[in-house]
Amino acid sequence: MNPGPTAGGTAPAPGDAPVGFVPPPYPYSRLAAVAAVAERHDGGMVDLSIGTPCDPPPESVVAALASSGSERGYPSSAGSPGVRGAASRWIGRRFGVEIDETQIGLCVGTKEFVASTAWFLKLRSPRRDTVLAPAVAYPTYALGAQLAGCRMVAVPEAPGGGLDLGQVSEQDAGRAVVLWVNSPANPTGSLTDLGAAASWGRARGVPVLSDECYAEFTWDRWPPPTVLHHGTTGVVAVHSLSKRSNLAGLRVGFYAGDPDLVRFLSEVRQHAGLMVPGPVQAAAAVALDDDAHVFAQRERYLGRLERLAEVLRSAGLDATVPAGTFYLWVPVPDWAAEQGEAEGRDGAWPLADALAEVAGTLVSPGEFYGESGAGHVRIAVVQPDDRLALVGRRLAASTDPRLGAVRAP
Ligand SMILES: Cc1ncc(COP(=O)(O)O)c(C=O)c1O
């Protein structure tokens, strides 16, 4: 029944109810019941579900936050000469590539950039309506497509890891505002052939945005690959301070590459008020000029990956150190796949339940990263060593057949 006009104005008719975009549930809120089980352990839960750093950033970076004197004025959206210079120097040191400061712009953490850029690129090419992104991926690429009113076309993974761009139809390519690549990749840890992606995009007029936020944690190759090794035409590399410098709380990252794309994005971002606060820009400059803390962090993560993979292997899981990132991407064992099938859910959930019950450990089901991520869990080594050792002790003490199948006597 239409309630009709009221004294206070016109009541919304049923047809006025919002029918458009409804924000999806945040994936990690789906883990609440599993987390409650893990919490019951003496010593509490060891949360390996979200990639939030636990180690400290350098003190000099934190000190720079309080001493820049940049609080009063509006900051530049593209970034101060100080921070863009530091980003340019870091690109030179880490990748051996020269990128002018004018080809660099800041973002309010790379999640913001990933979520907003398809929208801006769609405004630039209104006849195109498609976002291409890896089938198993950080979910914000797909969310960015939704926010832009675009279709999302998932690019399947190649058999040896990386993207199988041969599977993208020319029709979809002709409609694409962006191809996202992510190397090393969350959640799989695999590397993508960035040169092939750059050539593919150039041949089709599709900007290639290369999310390289885990570049510092590349294990299989050093120096790490960047799309910028293959020229800047039509490509933009995206980097974060969150992982590199344990500064997820500051919200700062940057994008660098094609001069026209960077100019367009930094202009539209300035109009939209997407600005990194001045003190944060100052702190980011200090962090980018320092490599010592990154090399210490690399050792921490690699050690944790190696130790936790071994612990998980002795609990019957097929855990191996990835080519990059700080995630273990673990296939579900047969018992969990069978149980999941019987229960009408992916086998990652019974495995997550077992890890919570037996080891008080919270992990992420692979379906959080797209349908093709089913059959895996992602385990982030983002807890201090003593907490990971606790996981090992809990598993070693357990006689639960689900996670002790191949344990040495
Ligand atoms: C692939 C990928 N890109 C971007 C981000 C966002 O990082 P931030 O917004 O902290 O820079 C993450 C965070 O986990 C990620 O895994």
Side-chain angles (χ1 to χ4, degrees):
M1 187 188 79
N2 188 333
T6 63
T10 308
D16 292 341
V19 291
F21 175 66
V22 177
Y26 209 64
Y28 296 103
S29 54
R30 294 172 58 198
L31 282 175
V34 190
V37 172
E39 282 289 11
R40 279 191 223 127
H41 273 259
D42 199 16
M45 170 170 74
V46 181
D47 187 351
L48 306 182
S49 65
I50 303 187
T52 292
C54 69
D55 301 298
E59 276 173 27
S60 54
V61 173
V62 180
L65 277 174
S67 58
S68 69
S70 59
E71 294 82 6
R72 291 184 200 184
Y74 284 107
S76 130
S77 172
S80 67
V83 67
R84 286 200 282 168
S88 169
R89 286 191 291 279
W90 174 74
I91 292 171
R93 283 197 316 282
R94 185 61 71 251
F95 302 112
V97 179
E98 223 176 281
I99 297 288
D100 193 78
E101 288 170 27
T102 56
Q103 290 171 258
I104 297 175
L106 292 193
C107 53
V108 192
T110 58
K111 187 181 182 81
E112 172 271 300
F113 186 84
V114 169
S116 61
T117 299
W119 175 33
F120 299 144
L121 293 176
K122 168 106 169 60
L123 293 174
R124 188 168 178 255
S125 305
R127 276 199 282 268
R128 294 185 172 226
D129 67 351
T130 297
V131 168
L132 302 169
V136 184
Y138 181 57
T140 310
Y141 307 121
L143 190 94
Q146 267 186 298
L147 294 179
C150 283
R151 323 146 59 221
M152 158 83 189
V153 172
V155 183
E157 206 173 332
L163 293 186
D164 192 351
L165 286 166
Q167 301 282 328
V168 180
S169 72
E170 290 304 327
Q171 203 194 18
D172 285 337
R175 292 171 68 174
V177 293
V178 59
L179 165 67
W180 282 106
V181 295
N182 175 214
S183 181
N186 173 14
T188 62
S190 62
L191 301 180
T192 297
D193 182 343
L194 296 174
S199 312
W200 185 95
R202 276 179 202 134
R204 292 160 181 83
V206 179
V208 176
L209 268 63
S210 179
D211 180 347
E212 301 173 3
C213 69
Y214 297 99
E216 299 275 33
F217 307 119
T218 305
W219 315 117
D220 276 13
R221 267 182 246 169
W222 198 260
T226 170
V227 77
L228 301 174
H229 284 142
H230 309 282
T232 58
T233 306
V235 305
V236 173
V238 184
H239 285 277
S240 175
L241 277 282
S242 301
K243 323 283 179 187
R244 173 188 188 273
S245 300
N246 298 324
L247 291 171
L250 281 198
R251 309 313 304 138
V252 56
F254 66 88
Y255 52 98
D258 184 284
D260 291 338
L261 280 169
V262 168
R263 192 177 319 111
F264 168 75
L265 289 172
S266 60
E267 281 177 12
V268 71
R269 292 171 57 80
Q270 182 172 16
H271 286 298
L274 291 166
M275 297 179 278
V276 173
V280 174
Q281 297 195 19
V286 173
L288 285 166
D289 273 333
D290 180 68
D291 286 334
H293 73 283
V294 180
F295 294 143
Q297 192 62 40
R298 275 176 59 82
E299 289 204 3
R300 278 186 208 118
Y301 279 141
L302 186 57
R304 288 177 194 160
L305 284 167
E306 285 168 346
R307 287 191 295 278
L308 191 65
E310 198 177 326
V311 160
L312 294 171
R313 279 197 297 273
S314 62
L317 299 176
D318 182 12
T320 49
V321 174
T325 74
F326 43 69
Y327 303 115
L328 295 170
W329 181 239
V330 181
V332 303
D334 290 346
W335 69 261
E338 283 157 22
Q339 187 182 328
E341 204 174 328
E343 295 170 352
R345 55 183 190 155
D346 181 51
W349 288 98
L351 177 57
D353 286 343
L355 285 165
E357 285 162 31
V358 175
T361 302
L362 194 64
V363 302
S364 295
E367 67 185 31
F368 286 9
Y369 312 96
E371 277 169 32
S372 321
H376 289 77
V377 295
R378 193 197 74 173
I379 306 181
V381 296
V382 290
Q383 291 288 335
D385 295 353
D386 61 327
R387 300 296 289 167
L388 295 181
L390 179 62
V391 174
R393 285 200 301 280
R394 286 171 176 170
L395 282 169
S398 160
T399 53
D400 191 304
R402 292 172 298 176
L403 293 173
V406 299
R407 186 170 314 134

